[in-house]
Amino acid sequence: MKLQNSLNAPKSSHNKMTLAGILVALGVVYGDIGTSPMYTMSSLVAGNGGLQNISTDFILGSISLIFWTLTIITTTKYVLIALRADNNGEGGIFALYTLVRKKAKWLLIPAMIGGATFLSDGMMTPAVTVTTAIEGLKGLNINNHVLITNQKTVVLVTIIILSCLFFIQRFGTEALGKAFGPIMLLWFTSLAAAGLYRLAGDWSFLRALNPYYAFQTLISPSNKNGIFILGSIFLATTGAEALYSDMGHVGRNNIYGSWPYVKICLLINYLGQGVWLNQVKDLVSYQNMDTLNPFFEMVPAPFRLAMTIIATLAAIIASQALISGSYTLVSEATKLKLLPRLRMIYPTNFKGQLYIPAVNNIIWVLCIAIVIYFQNSERMAGAYGLVITITMLMTTILLNAWLLTTKHNRFLSELIIVFFLAIETVFLISNSVKFFEGGYVTFTIACILIMIMIIWQYGELLKNDNTFHREYVSLLAYKRQLKKLSEDDTLPLYTTNLVYLTKIHEGYKVKKDILYSILDKRPKRAKVYWFVTVNVTDNPYTTEYSVDTFGTDYMVNVQLYLGFRMEQKVNFFLRQIVNEMMIKGELPRQPQTYTTIPDRNVGDFSFVLIQEVLSPDTQLNNIKKSIIQARLWLQRYTVTPAIWFGLSYSDVVMERVPLILGQLRSDRLRLIKRDPIIKYYDDQDEDDE
């Protein structure tokens, strides 16, 4: 059965390419990859020892490497292949994982690693893009005033802009988002215009598209970094993974329609920077500059301020895309039970608008810390891109599993995957030197996220391991007792509808704690006993349910099937279900004598949530026990089940039960015979001492 929820977001897959859709795609998808020209060439020059150590062949080879990296990684792997691996229009590593997770359990590992590294490296995006944009204002004369004179001012302004950006997230960014498309269209057009202006001075630089220059540069002595130059080259394609993740917001076809324009604009800008570098590489005035950024320097002086303003706006949009993407990724991981539950807020009715306060605050603090620690964009770019390479490798592994489930030629599919694995492994090796240049920051963050995922996932497996001492009972065995309790007028009515959120196992078995709560702890008389299970489906927008009344009108097993992007509003859904069941005659009506709602036929609901507390009787080895304790600790400091399941304004009762895992200890008292008078005097003697 389908749940009709007016608040549900519609499917985000778009079947048609439209001009409006392409404009939205420009504003949503390309923030990261679109701002890469601001720091990629600068990183290449700095990494080779400065302007005085580069040659024409080095410049040509660098641009050639950028072009072919964009072609192989971004265009071929992500645009032409990965975008086909969509889950009802949704993209990203977790959406891809839901497509293949039934194929092999071990695929959870690359999904966890890829998700953690994507989140970690993405935290660098706001810091590096905004810092680079503000650095474009340093020393710039505006109406005979230089507003930003040193790097400390750059850092301060960057912190203020980032803080404002993170602060407004709680109010929603729907209005701001409407301007993203036009601004990014202006940005890419400006990139092409600035690049074309310089390229017109030396059209021969178009020969950089020849792959010969790329291979020559890798082995040329003028390239002081050898293969490790690819660490800087990789900066040009770091946004490819974000492009795939954001597919659900704009649709595959709109990315197909917008990517050619974006790629051409990026390429022209890189070519223009190359021509400018070739023209000034021998000039002492430029060689002696403290920080040289070809992106801003190649722009004619009259247009420098305008370009810097547009660059700042583009940097903010790139940061906003990263922040929104992080919310979505964490939400998906939470619904897939890879991360603890976090409080989620939907500030507007705009599709896709989501705000997670904990994630927002963590990313904000880390971004500010990164800006303060690295101080300038050159050092940030040196650390940027390490762990996103790991994300790309994990995506490739999952793509391999997906290709094996399609009708594509198996040999050709494996050949393609081996090719991408080889390319990305080379990039990973070349990026490995970034670990010591600051990459350890994002690597550490990724490791912490992976550890949290392991604790949450493995802890859940340990809790539900059938080899441990867990008692399950069949609901069918308690039908008579529940009927008798429901009709027992000597007991006060606890509630009309008593709801337990619990998983129903094979044979209608539930944890004994549930029945103990109803019958033993305090007999809870109710008209209807509900046993509800929330199942997260692979389809992101599923809203379905099934019911089983066990042949009664006082017991109901509800199986909710909700997509991994849907809100789990259990209270809202249950009220719809009970109304539908009453209309069909599956449940008797529950008329209310005292009510503000005329002709109300549905009684009150009470939800009982079972909170497990690790028992001292648990007998596990130290590692497993530590994982369980860590999971329970995380559970205590994350959002409560009541909030998570949409029960904030419902009647909720929390009951604590002991969690006993492993073998039970047989601690029994042994009766002994002892003179109580002697015992009394023994105790007195001890007190005297």
Side-chain angles (χ1 to χ4, degrees):
M1 299 182 184
K2 294 281 186 181
L3 284 167
Q4 300 300 320
N5 182 1
S6 61
L7 297 179
N8 287 348
K11 286 185 179 181
S12 56
S13 56
H14 302 279
N15 296 320
K16 293 183 179 180
M17 183 194 306
T18 64
L19 288 176
I22 289 174
L23 191 63
V24 172
L26 288 173
V28 173
V29 174
Y30 303 110
D32 193 353
I33 202 168
T35 52
S36 59
M38 288 198 293
Y39 46 80
T40 300
M41 290 300 290
S42 176
S43 176
L44 283 163
V45 173
N48 208 58
L51 199 61
Q52 63 273 19
N53 292 309
I54 64 172
S55 62
T56 301
D57 286 341
F58 175 84
I59 299 170
L60 285 168
S62 297
I63 297 171
S64 184
L65 284 167
I66 290 172
F67 170 71
W68 287 104
T69 298
L70 286 172
T71 301
I72 294 172
I73 300 295
T74 311
T75 304
T76 307
K77 177 188 170 181
Y78 283 96
V79 176
L80 297 181
I81 298 177
L83 291 187
R84 309 300 303 180
D86 69 297
N87 187 343
N88 289 275
E90 296 298 324
I93 195 160
F94 287 137
L96 178 57
Y97 166 66
T98 59
L99 290 175
V100 300
R101 62 175 172 177
K102 294 179 181 177
K103 189 173 181 63
K105 290 183 178 180
W106 66 267
L107 291 172
L108 176 64
I109 298 173
M112 289 168 57
I113 296 173
T117 50
F118 180 71
L119 276 173
S120 172
D121 208 59
M123 292 176 187
M124 289 286 289
T125 299
V128 69
T129 53
V130 176
T131 302
T132 305
I134 301 305
E135 283 177 346
L137 290 171
K138 190 167 68 172
L140 192 62
N141 193 317
I142 305 173
N143 290 330
N144 298 319
H145 292 88
V146 178
L147 300 179
I148 298 179
T149 57
N150 53 55
Q151 195 62 28
K152 288 184 178 180
T153 310
V154 169
V155 170
L156 178 61
V157 173
T158 300
I159 290 174
I160 292 172
I161 290 175
L162 289 175
S163 297
C164 291
L165 181 62
F166 281 100
F167 177 75
I168 65 172
Q169 298 301 314
R170 68 197 67 206
F171 305 111
T173 54
E174 179 179 357
L176 187 63
K178 292 178 181 178
F180 285 180
I183 291 173
M184 291 305 288
L185 176 61
L186 176 62
W187 167 249
F188 286 115
T189 304
S190 300
L191 289 181
L196 198 60
Y197 173 77
R198 292 299 177 183
L199 182 59
D202 190 352
W203 291 103
S204 69
F205 256 68
L206 287 172
R207 66 187 189 275
L209 305 186
N210 187 336
Y212 165 78
Y213 292 98
F215 288 113
Q216 185 188 49
T217 299
L218 288 176
I219 59 175
S220 171
S222 64
N223 170 22
K224 299 183 182 301
N225 289 316
I227 195 174
F228 293 104
I229 191 180
L230 294 176
S232 294
I233 296 294
F234 189 75
L235 294 173
T237 192
T238 51
E241 190 71 36
L243 179 151
Y244 177 41
S245 296
D246 289 329
M247 174 171 57
H249 295 292
V250 299
R252 178 197 305 134
N253 290 330
N254 289 316
I255 295 178
Y256 287 160
S258 55
W259 172 241
Y261 181 73
V262 171
K263 184 179 179 181
I264 290 171
C265 291
L266 291 173
L267 178 60
I268 292 175
N269 190 267
Y270 284 121
L271 286 167
Q273 289 188 54
V275 171
W276 181 84
L277 281 170
N278 191 54
Q279 292 172 343
V280 304
K281 60 183 174 60
D282 297 322
L283 299 179
V284 177
S285 58
Y286 285 100
Q287 292 178 356
N288 293 333
M289 289 182 65
D290 293 333
T291 54
L292 174 72
N293 190 327
F295 175 80
F296 290 107
E297 294 296 333
M298 76 163 181
V299 178
F303 302 100
R304 184 84 54 84
L305 177 60
M307 192 64 166
T308 305
I309 292 172
I310 300 172
T312 304
L313 293 174
I316 291 172
I317 291 172
S319 302
Q320 177 61 50
L322 174 275
I323 296 167
S324 300
S326 298
Y327 296 155
T328 301
L329 198 69
V330 170
S331 173
E332 292 174 359
T334 303
K335 304 267 177 72
L336 293 171
K337 297 183 179 180
L338 298 178
L339 284 175
R341 299 174 183 136
L342 297 171
R343 181 169 175 243
M344 298 183 186
I345 299 172
Y346 297 83
T348 69
N349 291 326
F350 183 66
K351 178 174 69 69
Q353 276 285 298
L354 175 67
Y355 171 61
I356 306 178
V359 175
N360 186 76
N361 294 337
I362 289 171
I363 297 178
W364 171 63
V365 170
L366 289 174
C367 281
I368 299 303
I370 287 170
V371 171
I372 294 173
Y373 179 72
F374 287 102
Q375 289 291 309
N376 61 62
S377 62
E378 184 179 316
R379 290 185 62 200
M380 292 179 202
Y384 191 33
L386 170 59
V387 294
I388 199 67
T389 322
I390 301 174
T391 306
M392 290 186 172
L393 277 167
M394 299 302 106
T395 299
T396 301
I397 292 171
L398 294 175
L399 275 175
N400 179 53
W402 174 77
L403 284 170
L404 294 177
T405 65
T406 63
K407 297 180 180 180
H408 294 91
N409 182 282
R410 187 184 182 93
F411 174 76
L412 181 61
S413 298
E414 291 187 349
L415 189 64
I416 291 171
I417 293 301
V418 168
F419 172 74
F420 284 121
L421 283 174
I423 293 291
E424 288 165 358
T425 300
V426 172
F427 273 114
L428 179 60
I429 294 171
S430 64
N431 272 301
S432 62
V433 296
K434 293 186 176 183
F435 181 86
F436 301 102
E437 297 173 359
Y440 55 82
V441 173
T442 51
F443 187 81
T444 301
I445 296 171
C447 288
I448 292 172
L449 289 171
I450 291 170
M451 185 59 64
I452 292 173
M453 289 184 181
I454 291 172
I455 289 171
W456 198 253
Q457 179 68 206
Y458 189 50
E460 179 73 12
L461 294 176
L462 287 175
K463 282 176 59 180
N464 298 319
D465 193 334
N466 292 329
T467 61
F468 292 151
H469 183 77
R470 304 303 301 275
E471 291 189 71
Y472 291 87
V473 295
S474 173
L475 287 172
L476 301 179
Y478 289 86
K479 283 175 65 175
R480 290 184 180 179
Q481 285 199 56
L482 290 176
K483 180 176 177 59
K484 188 175 181 180
L485 176 60
S486 176
E487 297 173 347
D488 190 350
D489 293 333
T490 63
L491 293 173
L493 187 67
Y494 185 85
T495 184
T496 307
N497 298 281
L498 185 61
V499 184
Y500 285 85
L501 294 171
T502 181
K503 184 173 184 179
I504 308 293
H505 296 268
E506 188 176 353
Y508 298 103
K509 290 185 176 181
V510 297
K511 292 177 183 177
K512 190 175 181 179
D513 299 331
I514 303 294
L515 275 304
Y516 183 87
S517 170
I518 298 174
L519 301 172
D520 297 88
K521 197 162 188 176
R522 172 190 171 187
K524 298 179 177 66
R525 181 181 165 226
K527 295 293 185 182
V528 184
Y529 296 95
W530 297 79
F531 305 94
V532 180
T533 304
V534 178
N535 303 284
V536 179
T537 68
D538 293 344
N539 185 315
Y541 297 107
T542 302
T543 49
E544 300 175 347
Y545 75 96
S546 65
V547 294
D548 185 351
T549 61
F550 307 99
T552 74
D553 61 359
Y554 57 88
M555 291 174 61
V556 184
N557 168 23
V558 175
Q559 297 290 324
L560 284 173
Y561 300 95
L562 303 176
F564 61 86
R565 281 204 169 185
M566 298 306 302
E567 282 189 83
Q568 298 183 4
K569 300 178 179 179
V570 174
N571 185 28
F572 181 90
F573 294 142
L574 271 186
R575 292 188 179 276
Q576 177 187 328
I577 292 170
V578 71
N579 273 301
E580 291 180 0
M581 293 182 71
M582 287 178 181
I583 292 172
K584 295 177 182 177
E586 296 172 337
L587 286 179
R589 296 187 180 275
Q590 303 166 352
Q592 302 297 297
T593 304
Y594 305 104
T595 176
T596 58
I597 304 173
D599 302 320
R600 177 178 173 180
N601 290 311
V602 178
D604 58 319
F605 281 79
S606 289
F607 296 83
V608 179
L609 303 178
I610 305 297
Q611 181 182 5
E612 295 176 318
V613 181
L614 192 64
S615 170
D617 292 326
T618 292
Q619 296 292 297
L620 294 175
N621 63 49
N622 290 333
I623 295 178
K624 291 182 178 179
K625 191 171 184 178
S626 297
I627 290 175
I628 288 290
Q629 289 173 329
R631 191 187 192 281
L632 293 175
W633 181 85
L634 285 171
Q635 194 170 307
R636 188 187 315 161
Y637 290 100
T638 51
V639 72
T640 64
I643 295 175
W644 179 255
F645 290 113
L647 308 176
S648 301
Y649 305 105
S650 304
D651 181 26
V652 178
V653 177
M654 293 291 298
E655 292 188 353
R656 291 160 61 93
V657 299
L659 176 62
I660 305 174
L661 301 175
Q663 298 298 317
L664 286 174
R665 291 193 318 200
S666 56
D667 296 336
R668 297 180 63 85
L669 288 173
R670 183 168 57 89
L671 177 64
I672 63 171
K673 292 183 178 181
R674 190 168 184 179
D675 190 329
I677 298 177
I678 296 174
K679 173 59 180 168
Y680 171 76
Y681 283 113
D682 287 345
D683 290 343
Q684 289 286 59
D685 292 340
E686 290 175 6
D687 291 341
D688 293 340
E689 291 176 5

